[in-house]
Amino acid sequence: MVMLFTYWQKLRESQIPEEVTTLLSLSPKFSLYPHNFPHNQLYHLLAETESILKTNFKHQIQDTTRCMITNCIHNFIHKYDNCPRDPESKFIRIAQTKTRNFLKLNPNICILPADKGNRTVVMLTEEYNRKMKLLLNDTNTYKTVKSDPTNKFQTANNNIIGRLLELKLIDKQTAYNLKTYTATCPRIYGQPKAHKQNLPLRPVVPGMTSPSYNLSKYVCKIYQMSIQTKYNVRDSRSFCQYVNNITIPPQCEMISLDVISLFTNIPKELIIRDTINSWGSLRTNTNINLDLFLEIVNFCLDSSYFMFRDQYYSQIAGAAMGNPLSPILSDLIMEPLIDSVLRNICFPVHTIRKYVDDLFLIIPKDKKNEILTAFNSYHSNIQFTIEEEQNGRLAYLDMTLIRQADNSIRTEYYTKTIASGRLLNYRSIHPLSLKINIASNFISRVNDLSTNLTDTQKRNIIVQQLKLNDYPLSLINRCWNRMKTAKNIQTTHNTPAAERIYRSIPYIPMLTPHIVRILKQQYPEVCVSTRCTHTVSKFFTQIKDPVPALLKHNVIYKIPCSNCDKSYIGMTSNLLKSRLSNHQSNINKLDQLLNSGLPYTDPAIRSLREKTALISHCIDERHRFNLTETKILDFTHRKSSLSLLEMVWIYNDTSTVNKRTDVDGLNATFAGILHAIDKHRNKQQQIVNSIN
């Protein structure tokens, strides 16, 4: 049975076909059967397993493992066409097709994840844009910028890193990691707050592409090593252990306080002041002096910018949602805030604990208004809301805190009314081991956080939740019994943590589990995880502004020849526009030499042939390439896989002008696999062409 937890805004459910609602109501991480033969995933699988093999310098182990892996891939390709399709997979395939067609015919609808509760939101694109514009019109938080400031911030970032290196405050490797030449403007997007009236949006700015992202992470690490928080709780489990060992004094009650939009309201003057006050501990974890450190922090905050619908904005207040510094800066200012409030009130606070911006307090019953006023008086930007104990119960984190008759506290596992209850569905195309781990972790969580319930009550909650996610009862019972009998057993790893290598590879059903097993046997020091790339989230609307092809990096690209049917395939870890500029520069140099009267046979022209196969084709055939029609074939987040991906694409394209030496680094063991993949890809293309 499929769960449906979709929130409709100004739309009727009847407008959307049943198969579409069924598919979209699944978790965004629900993995689907590949719609077509997964040739692209196989390319990435080859490239990333090869990078794992290179971690061991013994060629015998490399060759043995490579042969075992290629044998697995050969078997998979052979079985793929003959693999039986169960009714469920057929339904999912039909639902995928209908969803794709429905969204194509209804561009006025956008599908996106909710801010909380793991829900899926369907709303009108026009309404989404209106709500985002309303957010960005807040002149106290944002201001418009005339042009893209990326180059300015990138230059400033690299200059700061250069100064740190020149002063010998960081080493060359750190400087290399912190500098960037491929930054692009971050794209803001909004996540609907489905639990609030009128469906407001929470602004999120993914800062991974911003010029100061790596520098922000570096500064964040210094803060994390230095700040000692006396009020923080690490997680729900540690808070549960703490709160179950305290007693509420007579005439006192429990309350919780929550800051309204803390990240975007963090005052910069508080950050500077509290950084100076904490410098005694910060200086022990960095060689940077205070003035330069403050300059770097200011730069990381001032470089919070983004774009929305081709308009550039700068955030003038607080820290962005998505900036690595935001969580630690909230900790930095919250500690002095609490200390100041506790000093200025005239009544005792018996208990106070904090998780990011959520506070738990035990105070005298008649002091609720005073404590709220005291916290809200600290700074006009930082305002709190209060939640009071009701009938001896208070919700905090993932628990309900329950006052007992003797004023002790016990807890129960708690989910908000907005929560969809979705975990990873058992029918998702994920490894079985992952599903078992999810079920086991959920069971352990409910058990640990429910000190007020009997085992029967806990088990009823667990069974109800997991069955809702289609987990079979036999698996639930097995995980429950294992948790009760082997709770304290911990797995050990023979390789020390410092020596382990962590890698991930694409998950392809019927193939990846065999490869993972081989790698664990042959490379015990490598911890291999899998990632699913074809998930329900692929059908979610791309609400962020698209990044132009020329501003992408770590890509495999293809340039067609203007005079024949051949093309050039290349790769670049820099921005594509920079690489194309290099190609254009070589072509311009060739044209200059020819215009000066030199023949094609002149040594000055022949020397250009050594630069790339593209310019070599221009010289040998007297042809030219159309750089404006460059097409991106593939991309990867893992730079070490880029060169092998390029060789794979060149190998399987018979119409390239690339030199034979361009694929010399491709191991001969892969030849048969690449031929089989290309055969299936051509067969698939023929089917598509016949349909069209």
Side-chain angles (χ1 to χ4, degrees):
M1 182 146 181
V2 183
M3 298 174 298
L4 180 59
F5 293 102
T6 307
Y7 184 95
W8 310 114
Q9 180 70 6
K10 292 187 178 179
L11 292 166
R12 293 182 179 177
E13 189 172 337
S14 58
Q15 289 180 292
I16 303 179
E18 182 181 354
E19 295 88 351
V20 177
T21 61
T22 299
L23 185 69
L24 294 179
S25 66
L26 297 170
S27 168
K29 294 183 180 179
F30 185 95
S31 183
L32 306 164
Y33 287 96
H35 192 67
N36 296 308
F37 182 74
H39 68 273
N40 206 331
Q41 286 179 287
L42 287 171
Y43 287 169
H44 283 260
L45 185 64
L46 286 174
E48 290 169 25
T49 52
E50 182 68 13
S51 70
I52 293 174
L53 301 187
K54 294 293 177 62
T55 61
N56 191 316
F57 297 104
K58 296 181 179 179
H59 292 289
Q60 184 177 355
I61 294 178
Q62 287 185 20
D63 294 338
T64 302
T65 309
R66 192 179 288 113
C67 289
M68 295 168 71
I69 290 174
T70 52
N71 185 53
C72 284
I73 299 176
H74 270 299
N75 292 337
F76 166 78
I77 294 173
H78 177 71
K79 294 177 182 178
Y80 183 82
D81 290 334
N82 302 320
C83 181
R85 307 296 182 192
D86 57 69
E88 185 178 292
S89 69
K90 289 181 180 178
F91 171 80
I92 293 293
R93 285 172 181 269
I94 293 171
Q96 288 185 67
T97 302
K98 288 196 173 184
T99 302
R100 193 176 291 107
N101 293 337
F102 173 79
L103 295 177
K104 188 175 181 179
L105 293 172
N106 294 273
N108 62 318
I109 291 177
C110 62
I111 316 294
L112 52 160
D115 173 50
K116 293 180 181 177
N118 198 17
R119 292 188 173 192
T120 298
V121 176
V122 179
M123 64 190 301
L124 297 173
T125 305
E126 180 184 358
E127 183 183 5
Y128 171 82
N129 290 335
R130 181 183 65 80
K131 290 178 181 289
M132 283 299 296
K133 286 289 186 181
L134 190 65
L135 256 176
L136 298 175
N137 286 338
D138 178 8
T139 55
N140 293 323
T141 307
Y142 308 107
K143 69 175 181 179
T144 58
V145 180
K146 290 183 179 180
S147 59
D148 187 356
T150 299
N151 288 337
K152 180 184 73 172
F153 286 129
Q154 181 171 269
T155 301
N157 177 82
N158 293 346
N159 287 341
I160 289 174
I161 307 307
R163 286 166 57 195
L164 293 175
L165 180 62
E166 186 179 349
L167 294 170
K168 298 184 179 179
L169 300 175
I170 57 174
D171 55 35
K172 290 184 178 180
Q173 184 59 47
T174 303
Y176 175 80
N177 294 334
L178 295 181
K179 283 188 176 182
T180 180
Y181 299 96
T182 58
T184 55
C185 180
R187 269 70 173 161
I188 192 174
Y189 66 93
Q191 288 188 324
K193 299 180 182 180
H195 58 291
K196 293 192 176 182
Q197 194 173 9
N198 297 324
L199 204 69
L201 301 180
R202 180 187 298 278
V204 181
V205 183
M208 292 82 72
T209 64
S210 69
S212 61
Y213 182 73
N214 290 331
L215 184 59
S216 295
K217 287 177 67 176
Y218 179 78
V219 175
C220 178
K221 190 174 181 180
I222 296 173
Y223 274 117
Q224 287 175 332
M225 292 187 296
S226 308
I227 296 176
Q228 301 298 324
T229 59
K230 54 188 174 183
Y231 304 112
N232 265 14
V233 292
R234 188 176 69 253
D235 51 34
S236 297
R237 282 189 172 90
S238 61
F239 180 72
C240 180
Q241 293 172 359
Y242 167 78
V243 81
N244 274 271
N245 290 313
I246 64 175
T247 301
I248 303 174
Q251 303 303 314
C252 288
E253 66 174 340
M254 301 179 289
I255 65 167
S256 67
L257 299 175
D258 183 22
V259 184
I260 301 172
S261 302
L262 175 60
F263 286 4
T264 54
N265 284 308
I266 299 176
K268 187 186 292 186
E269 65 267 21
L270 292 189
I271 295 172
I272 302 302
R273 186 201 67 187
D274 294 337
T275 298
I276 294 172
N277 293 339
S278 304
W279 187 246
S281 57
L282 285 165
R283 67 191 304 174
T284 61
N285 294 299
T286 180
N287 295 324
I288 305 173
N289 63 50
L290 176 59
D291 290 339
L292 184 52
F293 188 81
L294 291 176
E295 180 185 339
I296 295 172
V297 172
N298 267 313
F299 169 72
C300 292
L301 292 173
D302 291 341
S303 59
S304 293
Y305 74 106
F306 53 86
M307 72 178 298
F308 180 76
R309 302 298 181 256
D310 298 325
Q311 173 63 58
Y312 298 97
Y313 296 86
S314 175
Q315 184 167 330
I316 57 178
M321 287 283 295
N323 189 325
L325 271 175
S326 298
I328 194 65
L329 291 181
S330 69
D331 268 344
L332 176 73
I333 69 164
M334 286 293 287
E335 292 284 316
L337 184 155
I338 296 172
D339 287 336
S340 174
V341 170
L342 294 182
R343 282 195 306 268
N344 293 328
I345 58 176
C346 58
F347 55 87
V349 173
H350 298 281
T351 298
I352 181 167
R353 286 294 180 271
K354 172 175 71 73
Y355 184 78
V356 190
D357 61 345
D358 290 339
L359 304 183
F360 168 75
L361 304 93
I362 296 178
I363 62 171
K365 285 187 176 180
D366 58 344
K367 301 297 182 181
K368 296 187 291 290
N369 292 334
E370 289 185 40
I371 196 76
L372 182 60
T373 301
F375 273 98
N376 285 339
S377 300
Y378 183 77
H379 196 283
S380 59
N381 283 21
I382 305 176
Q383 298 298 295
F384 291 78
T385 59
I386 187 169
E387 188 174 341
E388 305 173 29
E389 174 185 335
Q390 299 290 336
N391 299 320
R393 302 170 73 90
L394 177 72
Y396 187 73
L397 297 183
D398 298 329
M399 294 168 286
T400 300
L401 312 181
I402 304 169
R403 182 202 291 260
Q404 304 296 298
D406 61 354
N407 283 331
S408 63
I409 300 176
R410 291 295 176 266
T411 58
E412 293 179 6
Y413 177 75
Y414 167 76
T415 55
K416 296 181 180 179
T417 54
I418 63 165
S420 66
R422 295 192 300 195
L423 304 172
L424 180 67
N425 194 282
Y426 186 75
R427 292 192 171 98
S428 177
I429 312 303
H430 275 82
L432 178 61
S433 59
L434 178 62
K435 300 171 189 175
I436 292 174
N437 285 339
I438 286 174
S440 299
N441 288 336
F442 177 73
I443 291 170
S444 175
R445 188 172 186 79
V446 173
N447 181 70
D448 292 345
L449 301 184
S450 302
T451 60
N452 196 47
L453 301 178
T454 64
D455 280 356
T456 302
Q457 291 172 317
K458 294 176 188 175
R459 192 176 179 281
N460 288 339
I461 294 173
I462 290 165
V463 170
Q464 179 183 7
Q465 192 76 36
L466 290 178
K467 286 187 74 174
L468 193 63
N469 288 273
D470 296 326
Y471 284 79
L473 186 59
S474 58
L475 175 63
I476 299 172
N477 290 334
R478 200 158 59 244
C479 293
W480 170 266
N481 293 332
R482 186 174 64 177
M483 184 272 297
K484 299 301 288 184
T485 58
K487 187 175 180 180
N488 296 322
I489 296 178
Q490 296 182 350
T491 57
T492 58
H493 202 291
N494 294 329
T495 307
E499 299 177 12
R500 294 178 206 163
I501 301 171
Y502 296 89
R503 294 292 173 84
S504 68
I505 58 177
Y507 181 76
I508 302 174
M510 303 179 294
L511 172 60
T512 302
H514 299 294
I515 293 179
V516 171
R517 193 157 41 245
I518 291 169
L519 291 173
K520 284 183 178 179
Q521 293 172 354
Q522 301 293 112
Y523 288 73
E525 72 281 3
V526 180
C527 299
V528 182
S529 63
T530 60
R531 66 179 187 277
C532 295
T533 55
H534 187 53
T535 61
V536 169
S537 63
K538 292 289 185 183
F539 295 99
F540 283 29
T541 308
Q542 297 300 314
I543 51 178
K544 294 189 292 184
D545 288 32
V547 178
L550 292 177
L551 295 181
K552 294 183 178 180
H553 65 287
N554 286 345
V555 297
I556 311 297
Y557 60 91
K558 183 176 184 178
I559 308 175
C561 179
S562 300
N563 305 99
C564 66
D565 60 354
K566 292 187 177 295
S567 58
Y568 171 80
I569 294 178
M571 69 163 188
T572 179
S573 58
N574 294 320
L575 296 181
L576 179 58
K577 70 174 184 179
S578 300
R579 183 58 178 152
L580 294 182
S581 177
N582 290 338
H583 286 308
Q584 187 63 59
S585 176
N586 290 333
I587 293 173
N588 291 343
K589 188 173 182 179
L590 171 62
D591 290 338
Q592 288 175 2
L593 292 174
L594 292 173
N595 291 335
S596 67
L598 296 179
Y600 275 98
T601 55
D602 188 271
I605 292 180
R606 303 301 293 180
S607 64
L608 288 175
R609 295 185 74 259
E610 305 302 321
K611 290 185 177 291
T612 63
L614 182 145
I615 195 67
S616 177
H617 182 75
C618 291
I619 295 172
D620 294 342
E621 304 295 332
R622 279 61 165 175
H623 288 180
R624 290 296 181 268
F625 284 83
N626 192 347
L627 301 184
T628 60
E629 294 185 9
T630 301
K631 178 183 177 183
I632 293 179
L633 299 176
D634 207 347
F635 76 96
T636 178
H637 295 295
R638 189 177 295 279
K639 192 175 177 179
S640 59
S641 305
L642 197 59
S643 60
L644 195 137
L645 271 178
E646 180 198 28
M647 288 186 280
V648 165
W649 280 98
I650 293 173
Y651 187 90
N652 266 359
D653 194 326
T654 57
S655 63
T656 66
V657 301
N658 295 78
K659 302 172 185 176
R660 202 61 226 161
T661 53
D662 289 343
V663 294
D664 281 350
L666 189 64
N667 196 283
T669 312
F670 294 141
I673 293 177
L674 293 176
H675 176 72
I677 294 174
D678 189 48
K679 180 180 177 182
H680 273 76
R681 188 178 64 167
N682 292 335
K683 180 180 176 182
Q684 180 179 304
Q685 188 60 44
Q686 289 174 2
I687 294 173
V688 172
N689 292 338
S690 64
I691 294 174
N692 294 335

